[in-house]
Short mmCIF file of all heavy atoms in Angstrom, two decimals:
data_model
loop_
_atom_site.label_atom_id
_atom_site.label_comp_id
_atom_site.label_asym_id
_atom_site.label_seq_id
_atom_site.Cartn_x
_atom_site.Cartn_y
_atom_site.Cartn_z
N LYS A 35 -12.47 5.64 11.03
CA LYS A 35 -12.82 6.38 12.33
C LYS A 35 -13.94 5.71 13.01
O LYS A 35 -14.01 5.76 14.28
CB LYS A 35 -13.26 7.83 11.91
CG LYS A 35 -12.12 8.74 11.53
CD LYS A 35 -12.59 10.09 11.16
CE LYS A 35 -11.57 10.85 10.54
NZ LYS A 35 -12.07 12.22 10.09
N ARG A 36 -14.89 5.11 12.33
CA ARG A 36 -16.07 4.46 12.89
C ARG A 36 -15.67 3.17 13.60
O ARG A 36 -16.40 2.77 14.49
CB ARG A 36 -17.11 4.20 11.85
CG ARG A 36 -17.72 5.53 11.38
CD ARG A 36 -18.86 5.29 10.45
NE ARG A 36 -18.53 4.50 9.32
CZ ARG A 36 -18.37 5.00 8.13
NH1 ARG A 36 -18.55 6.29 7.92
NH2 ARG A 36 -18.09 4.24 7.05
N LYS A 37 -14.69 2.50 13.16
CA LYS A 37 -14.32 1.16 13.70
C LYS A 37 -12.86 1.11 14.21
O LYS A 37 -12.01 1.03 13.50
CB LYS A 37 -14.52 0.12 12.64
CG LYS A 37 -14.32 -1.23 13.11
CD LYS A 37 -14.59 -2.28 12.02
CE LYS A 37 -14.39 -3.67 12.61
NZ LYS A 37 -14.50 -4.73 11.51
N VAL A 38 -12.78 1.34 15.49
CA VAL A 38 -11.41 1.31 16.12
C VAL A 38 -11.29 -0.07 16.80
O VAL A 38 -12.13 -0.44 17.69
CB VAL A 38 -11.18 2.44 17.13
CG1 VAL A 38 -9.95 2.37 17.80
CG2 VAL A 38 -11.39 3.80 16.48
N ILE A 39 -10.28 -0.84 16.44
CA ILE A 39 -10.06 -2.16 16.96
C ILE A 39 -8.90 -2.05 17.95
O ILE A 39 -7.82 -1.56 17.51
CB ILE A 39 -9.64 -3.13 15.89
CG1 ILE A 39 -10.76 -3.27 14.92
CG2 ILE A 39 -9.39 -4.46 16.57
CD1 ILE A 39 -10.47 -4.00 13.63
N PRO A 40 -9.00 -2.40 19.24
CA PRO A 40 -7.99 -2.33 20.16
C PRO A 40 -6.82 -3.19 19.67
O PRO A 40 -7.01 -4.24 18.98
CB PRO A 40 -8.64 -3.02 21.44
CG PRO A 40 -10.05 -2.81 21.27
CD PRO A 40 -10.31 -2.96 19.81
N PHE A 41 -5.61 -2.74 19.99
CA PHE A 41 -4.40 -3.36 19.45
C PHE A 41 -4.34 -4.85 19.76
O PHE A 41 -3.93 -5.62 18.98
CB PHE A 41 -3.14 -2.72 19.99
CG PHE A 41 -1.84 -3.25 19.39
CD1 PHE A 41 -1.43 -2.88 18.13
CD2 PHE A 41 -1.04 -4.11 20.17
CE1 PHE A 41 -0.26 -3.34 17.62
CE2 PHE A 41 0.13 -4.56 19.67
CZ PHE A 41 0.55 -4.26 18.35
N ASP A 42 -4.65 -5.23 21.08
CA ASP A 42 -4.66 -6.61 21.42
C ASP A 42 -5.66 -7.46 20.74
O ASP A 42 -5.66 -8.66 20.81
CB ASP A 42 -4.70 -6.80 22.92
CG ASP A 42 -5.98 -6.21 23.58
OD1 ASP A 42 -6.77 -5.41 22.81
OD2 ASP A 42 -6.31 -6.59 24.67
N GLU A 43 -6.60 -6.96 19.96
CA GLU A 43 -7.65 -7.67 19.27
C GLU A 43 -7.28 -7.70 17.72
O GLU A 43 -8.10 -8.28 16.98
CB GLU A 43 -8.98 -7.10 19.45
CG GLU A 43 -9.48 -7.14 20.91
CD GLU A 43 -10.79 -6.55 21.08
OE1 GLU A 43 -11.60 -6.38 20.13
OE2 GLU A 43 -11.13 -6.19 22.21
N LEU A 44 -6.27 -7.11 17.35
CA LEU A 44 -5.81 -7.16 15.90
C LEU A 44 -5.50 -8.51 15.53
O LEU A 44 -4.95 -9.33 16.31
CB LEU A 44 -4.70 -6.18 15.65
CG LEU A 44 -4.97 -4.68 15.72
CD1 LEU A 44 -3.70 -3.97 15.60
CD2 LEU A 44 -6.00 -4.26 14.69
N ASP A 45 -5.76 -8.91 14.21
CA ASP A 45 -5.35 -10.08 13.67
C ASP A 45 -3.88 -10.09 13.35
O ASP A 45 -3.44 -9.49 12.31
CB ASP A 45 -6.10 -10.44 12.42
CG ASP A 45 -5.67 -11.76 11.66
OD1 ASP A 45 -4.86 -12.44 12.28
OD2 ASP A 45 -6.15 -11.91 10.62
N ARG A 46 -3.09 -10.59 14.25
CA ARG A 46 -1.65 -10.60 14.10
C ARG A 46 -1.07 -11.74 13.25
O ARG A 46 0.14 -11.90 13.16
CB ARG A 46 -0.91 -10.59 15.45
CG ARG A 46 -1.17 -9.30 16.34
CD ARG A 46 -0.72 -8.00 15.64
NE ARG A 46 0.62 -8.09 15.12
CZ ARG A 46 1.72 -7.81 15.86
NH1 ARG A 46 1.60 -7.40 17.06
NH2 ARG A 46 2.92 -7.90 15.20
N SER A 47 -1.98 -12.48 12.58
CA SER A 47 -1.44 -13.57 11.73
C SER A 47 -1.03 -13.03 10.41
O SER A 47 -0.39 -13.67 9.62
CB SER A 47 -2.54 -14.62 11.49
OG SER A 47 -3.62 -14.05 10.74
N LYS A 48 -1.23 -11.70 10.17
CA LYS A 48 -0.83 -11.00 9.01
C LYS A 48 -0.05 -9.72 9.45
O LYS A 48 -0.28 -9.14 10.47
CB LYS A 48 -2.08 -10.60 8.18
CG LYS A 48 -2.95 -11.71 7.75
CD LYS A 48 -4.15 -11.28 7.13
CE LYS A 48 -5.09 -12.48 6.81
NZ LYS A 48 -6.39 -12.01 6.36
N PRO A 49 0.80 -9.22 8.53
CA PRO A 49 1.49 -8.03 8.84
C PRO A 49 0.55 -6.79 8.98
O PRO A 49 -0.58 -6.79 8.32
CB PRO A 49 2.45 -7.77 7.65
CG PRO A 49 2.50 -9.08 7.00
CD PRO A 49 1.28 -9.89 7.28
N ILE A 50 0.81 -5.85 9.80
CA ILE A 50 0.01 -4.64 9.97
C ILE A 50 0.90 -3.42 9.59
O ILE A 50 1.95 -3.22 10.16
CB ILE A 50 -0.38 -4.53 11.37
CG1 ILE A 50 -1.31 -5.83 11.80
CG2 ILE A 50 -1.17 -3.22 11.65
CD1 ILE A 50 -1.56 -5.83 13.35
N PRO A 51 0.40 -2.54 8.70
CA PRO A 51 1.18 -1.33 8.27
C PRO A 51 1.42 -0.46 9.54
O PRO A 51 0.50 -0.36 10.34
CB PRO A 51 0.26 -0.65 7.31
CG PRO A 51 -0.62 -1.71 6.84
CD PRO A 51 -0.92 -2.69 7.91
N ARG A 52 2.61 0.03 9.61
CA ARG A 52 2.97 0.91 10.65
C ARG A 52 2.45 2.42 10.48
O ARG A 52 2.46 3.23 11.36
CB ARG A 52 4.49 0.97 10.90
CG ARG A 52 5.12 -0.28 11.45
CD ARG A 52 6.57 -0.08 11.66
NE ARG A 52 7.15 -1.36 12.24
CZ ARG A 52 7.26 -1.53 13.48
NH1 ARG A 52 6.92 -0.70 14.35
NH2 ARG A 52 7.92 -2.68 13.86
N SER A 53 1.99 2.67 9.24
CA SER A 53 1.49 4.02 8.92
C SER A 53 0.21 3.76 8.10
O SER A 53 -0.03 2.74 7.47
CB SER A 53 2.46 4.85 8.19
OG SER A 53 2.92 4.08 7.01
N GLU A 54 -0.62 4.84 8.06
CA GLU A 54 -1.84 4.86 7.14
C GLU A 54 -1.48 4.71 5.71
O GLU A 54 -0.62 5.55 5.30
CB GLU A 54 -2.56 6.05 7.40
CG GLU A 54 -3.30 6.20 8.77
CD GLU A 54 -4.40 5.23 8.90
OE1 GLU A 54 -5.12 4.96 7.92
OE2 GLU A 54 -4.64 4.77 9.99
N PRO A 55 -1.97 3.82 4.96
CA PRO A 55 -1.69 3.80 3.52
C PRO A 55 -1.90 5.08 2.78
O PRO A 55 -1.16 5.41 1.84
CB PRO A 55 -2.78 2.70 3.00
CG PRO A 55 -2.96 1.91 4.16
CD PRO A 55 -2.92 2.76 5.38
#
Side-chain angles (χ1 to χ4, degrees):
K35 288 179 190 175
R36 290 188 299 258
K37 184 178 181 185
V38 176
I39 301 170
F41 185 77
D42 59 342
E43 294 179 19
L44 290 173
D45 177 6
R46 293 301 311 273
S47 67
K48 300 174 186 169
I50 299 171
R52 290 184 181 268
S53 59
E54 290 287 328

